[in-house]
Amino acid sequence: MKPIRRSVMHRLIKPADVMEPDLCPELTQAPTDPAQDPVSEAARDEGVAGCEDCADEGVHHPAALRRCLTCGHVACCDSSPRRHATRHFEASGHPVMRSAEPGESWRWCYLHARMG
């Protein structure tokens, strides 16, 4: 049986290239530990348990929540009717959100459409 021949490209890949995720600069700079996430004034003052924008509009619907890793703003995800997390990015330019759902810690960069 012939040994498997590896291409030149495979020989150029270093273990560090495979081990380290391909993160954009925004994800690299954003906190990886949810305990380090910023908290918005509304969440600090009122203990917001839902989308801050929906609460301001006087509506309530079940939606997954996202926390801005720049200012701590909590907003509803893109599967909700109002898509406040995306609107927050568009209005503020804050690029990275983290899932604010219990047991989830993934982050999303709006600029590069990458998860990290």
Side-chain angles (χ1 to χ4, degrees):
M1 188 167 160
K2 284 185 167 183
I4 297 172
R5 294 184 67 198
R6 298 184 79 186
S7 70
V8 172
M9 189 60 149
H10 283 100
R11 284 180 272 170
L12 295 176
I13 296 175
K14 297 180 238 103
D17 295 334
V18 177
M19 300 300 277
E20 293 181 17
D22 186 22
L23 297 179
C24 62
E26 290 74 18
L27 284 171
T28 302
Q29 295 168 7
T32 56
D33 182 3
Q36 297 175 348
D37 290 354
V39 178
S40 68
E41 289 182 33
R44 188 177 301 120
D45 296 343
E46 303 165 21
V48 174
C51 174
E52 296 174 18
D53 298 312
C54 286
D56 289 346
E57 294 173 7
V59 296
H60 177 74
H61 52 81
L65 299 174
R66 310 292 179 243
R67 178 180 306 277
C68 175
L69 295 186
T70 300
C71 68
H73 184 77
V74 175
C76 52
C77 70
D78 282 356
S79 62
S80 71
R82 292 179 165 45
R83 302 177 61 218
H84 284 126
T86 297
R87 287 186 184 181
H88 176 73
F89 161 69
E90 291 167 349
S92 68
H94 297 164
V96 181
M97 292 270 188
R98 180 190 310 278
S99 172
E101 295 299 307
E104 295 182 358
S105 62
W106 56 266
R107 300 166 302 158
W108 177 256
C109 176
Y110 282 96
L111 291 175
H112 300 101
R114 285 200 178 159
M115 187 180 290

